[in-house]
Structures are given as structure tokens and as C-alpha cells.
Amino acid sequence: MSYPPPSGPPEDEQPPSPYEPPRDQSPYAPPPAGQPPQPDQPAYELPAERSPYGPPGDQPSYGHQGPQQSAHWSQQPPYPPQGPYGQYGPPPAGPGRGTNVLAILSLVFAFVFPPAGAVLGHVAKRQIRTSGEDGDQLATWGLILGYVFTGLTVLACCGWLALVAFSNTGDSGGY
């Protein structure tokens, strides 16, 4: 089977494109002496001055797949895509590294029922020493506040009793 010959000799080239420099001239060379440079483009470009986006929007992009970008040569390149967000917050608790529950309760009970806060603080400190859990400062503050509020409560009760006792020492017989 024979194919028809091509419609023209293989040496025929397409007419030169106005967007490409002549093949015998380097793209970095200045234009010939008789030809002024184009006003929108410099006479020559250094490789560092070339846009990472390809030619400007008024020129076609050769071999570029995807949407046409009309970025100016001095425009800042886009930011790289952001990676996935990391996990924030305290690190995961390892074996035996949680906060002691009795230490938390000692601080809470120091305000609610102070003697219980002091007792729970002592028990929590003993557990923390043996298990290595966190919460030593919570237990210490539970102890301190438990004793302080217990002392203030005892003083308030003694003051109230003294007030009642002194108020009944006057006339008891009336007029």
C-alpha cells in the first residue's frame, strides 16, 4: 500500500512567530542596531529576571498546560500549599503520667470542706511519690488552703461562741 506524498517538501518551515526571537540570535543578546527595543519589554533579560509563571498575559504560553496566568514579572510568587495542621495541647499522657485525682479533689475540697481538703492533700502527696503522677503542686495547695480555711473556720466559730457568751452575761431578769 502506498501513501500519498506530503503536500510540501519537508524542508518547508512555518513562518517565524513574532513572539519568538530569531533562531540565529540569542534571547539574551541586545536587539540589532537598527531595531529599537520594544517599550514593554527590556532589551534583554537575565535568567533571574524571568517570571516563574511563563510569559506575560498578552503573550501565548508555548507548551504550558492548564489555565493561563497573567502575572506581571515583578509579582511575588504564590505561597506554597500549607500542610496539615498539627495537634496542639498537652502531650499525650504516658504510662503513670496523668494528674492525680486526689490532688485535684484536695484543692476543690479546700474551698468546700477544708478539713477534707487537708486530708486528701496528704493522701495525694503519698500517692504521687509512689506512682510518679503529676499534681504535686495541686496537692500542696490543697494542703495549704485546707489548713488555712480550717483555721479561719475554727476562729470564726470561737468568735461567734464568745460573742454569744458575752451577750448573755448582762441582765437576765428584765426590768
Side-chain angles (χ1 to χ4, degrees):
M1 175 171 239
S2 70
Y3 292 102
S7 61
E11 298 88 35
D12 282 349
E13 294 185 15
Q14 302 231 348
S17 170
Y19 301 111
E20 294 179 2
R23 292 183 193 255
D24 58 343
Q25 184 181 358
S26 169
Y28 304 111
Q35 187 178 23
Q38 295 181 357
D40 291 342
Q41 294 183 351
Y44 57 92
E45 289 183 308
L46 296 175
E49 295 176 344
R50 286 192 166 201
S51 171
Y53 303 110
D58 59 343
Q59 294 182 0
S61 61
Y62 299 102
H64 177 64
Q65 302 295 327
Q68 177 80 13
Q69 292 184 354
S70 61
H72 191 263
W73 63 273
S74 66
Q75 183 179 11
Q76 179 180 1
Y79 292 107
Q82 189 174 10
Y85 292 104
Q87 296 293 325
Y88 294 102
R97 292 295 304 174
T99 303
N100 190 299
V101 175
L102 291 180
I104 298 170
L105 290 176
S106 74
L107 187 61
V108 171
F109 274 95
F111 292 101
V112 177
F113 186 65
V119 171
L120 288 174
H122 282 291
V123 174
K125 285 187 83 65
R126 182 180 302 131
Q127 283 184 357
I128 289 169
R129 266 183 269 145
T130 59
S131 67
E133 291 177 306
D134 291 334
D136 186 51
Q137 287 184 343
L138 290 174
T140 302
W141 279 105
L143 273 170
I144 292 171
L145 293 175
Y147 282 126
V148 167
F149 289 149
T150 300
L152 290 175
T153 304
V154 168
L155 279 175
C157 288
C158 289
W160 182 74
L161 287 175
L163 187 63
V164 168
F166 286 128
S167 67
N168 286 338
T169 58
D171 283 310
S172 60
Y175 302 144

